[in-house]
Amino acid sequence: MRTPLDSPFSPGSDVVPQVWAGRARFLADWRDVLRPRRVAGIHERARTILGEAGSGKSALVRRIAQSARDQGDWVTEQIRIPAGGDPLKRVAEALLGLAAQAGLVVATEKRISAVLACVQAVAVGGASVTFREAEGVEAYRALTELLIELGRAAIARANTMVVVHVDEVQNITDTNVLSQLLVAFGDALAYEEPVKAPGGYEASRALPIAIYLTGLPEFLDMAGARVGATFARRFQTGTLESLDVESLVEALYPFIFDGWEIADPDGGIRRISMEVPAATNIIRYSCGEPFLFQLAGANAWYAGTGDVITEEDVERGWAHAAPEAEAHVLRILERLPAREREFLEAMAALPPQQRQLLTIAKALGYATSAKVGTTARRLETQRGIIARGTQYRFTNQAVEAMLSSGWPYEAPPLRNPHER
């Protein structure tokens, strides 16, 4: 018998869900590119992962962090930046935690002691700190120096990475503070450490440091306008789209084929299976959104107690979840400027095969597409809601479903976000 205590679905909790779906490209980037290159001393940029609320960006980096810890890497907590908070103070606190883990707090070198003292002052005073006793060293410079020391310690330990994750970066609204933080990270990533190469000659290498920033899509505008080329050069940005059907099907495979294992009250193991129509409707209602997928799964689990999740369970569960799903997508739409929302509404009103830029422009009352080109570009590159081309398409399926169908109170047809 299944109970809420057994549910493997975790909607909106920012933890790594037990039922994981998709994002293979980002996981492979960490496993096959970022970590191997940095451990080998090869330069590789920081990663910025942006997406609307519910796209799974925090859970994705938490899973990467979990993988890093399993390999013995030194990983910060998820450094969440609240609105009005001091990001330099939060980052300083997290780096001091890594310094303790790396054994730097017991180091006897005066250089390391001085760096730790500076960062401890940042952890107390935040962005307002200026170190007169340290010849005017600014807060960002102190963070850079500690990152460098952590990188050196990781080299000495061998096959170890320093991983920093800063979340909710769109809340860093102070221009100067944002610049200091990004420059501190960028300078540490660009630093070259002298090492002795085989044969006795001196070479230089990058430090084994990885930086992940996660937040809402508008951060790209903020960072680009305030830091400009430095941000673009040192940070590789990806925007999360809706998950494809295949990824969601794969996530539900354990239920369909073998059953999901839960503990039996008698100390044994039970398996919870799922009807194929039930899995299909979870996928249809969730529209490729990780949060909605977890929400649909959790409510289907709660809707019954049997060892089989039925199609009726999914329908009953979604009836409870639909208002929350509706509010979730409305929050995305309400954050958009009027011109962007009007563009999406006009695009959604057209049949998919007629979604060309000129046709959308005419639906908005313009004679040419020039009037809406900038809006379309922002919706693609900075919002991740549409994809441009000869034929425009929605990459955020929940937004499309909200604007063009009876969802969330009716199940939309299955569609991959990459289909034209």
Side-chain angles (χ1 to χ4, degrees), residues 295-296 298-303 311-323:
L295 185 68
N299 279 275
W301 186 283
Y302 302 155
E311 186 176 9
E312 290 73 21
D313 289 338
V314 174
E315 294 299 326
R316 285 197 304 272
W318 187 254
H320 291 287

Side-chain angles (χ1 to χ4, degrees), residues 213-237:
L213 309 180
T214 52
L216 295 176
E218 52 260 37
F219 177 73
L220 191 59
D221 265 354
M222 297 164 54
R226 299 174 188 181
V227 187
T230 299
F231 173 75
R233 188 172 66 250
R234 292 180 171 178
F235 292 77
Q236 177 179 305
T237 300

Side-chain angles (χ1 to χ4, degrees), residues 241-290:
E241 297 182 354
S242 297
L243 297 170
D244 56 57
V245 171
E246 288 78 9
S247 294
L248 297 174
V249 170
E250 184 177 353
L252 296 178
Y253 271 171
F255 293 94
I256 297 169
F257 291 102
D258 299 320
W260 188 273
E261 290 187 356
I262 62 171
D264 186 278
D266 299 324
I269 296 294
R270 297 180 70 91
R271 293 181 181 273
I272 304 301
S273 60
M274 184 181 293
E275 296 177 351
V276 171
T280 299
N281 278 356
I282 286 176
I283 294 169
R284 291 173 69 195
Y285 280 122
S286 61
C287 295
E289 291 298 292

Side-chain angles (χ1 to χ4, degrees), residues 281-282 284-287 291-292 295-296 314-330 333 397-413:
N281 278 356
I282 286 176
R284 291 173 69 195
Y285 280 122
S286 61
C287 295
F291 167 69
L292 298 178
L295 185 68
V314 174
E315 294 299 326
R316 285 197 304 272
W318 187 254
H320 291 287
E324 185 176 0
E326 181 178 37
H328 167 73
V329 179
L330 284 175
L333 292 171
Q397 296 178 63
V399 168
E400 179 181 19
M402 173 74 80
L403 295 177
S404 63
S405 74
W407 184 91
Y409 301 100
E410 298 174 7

Side-chain angles (χ1 to χ4, degrees), residues 339 357 361 368-374:
R339 284 178 63 90
L357 185 58
T368 69
S369 59
K371 295 289 187 179
V372 295
T374 300

Side-chain angles (χ1 to χ4, degrees), residues 161-182:
M161 284 283 289
V162 176
V163 184
V164 179
H165 174 203
V166 182
D167 194 20
E168 305 290 359
V169 288
Q170 78 282 348
N171 288 332
I172 308 174
T173 55
D174 185 297
T175 304
N176 295 326
V177 172
L178 176 60
S179 176
Q180 286 200 44
L181 186 64
L182 296 181

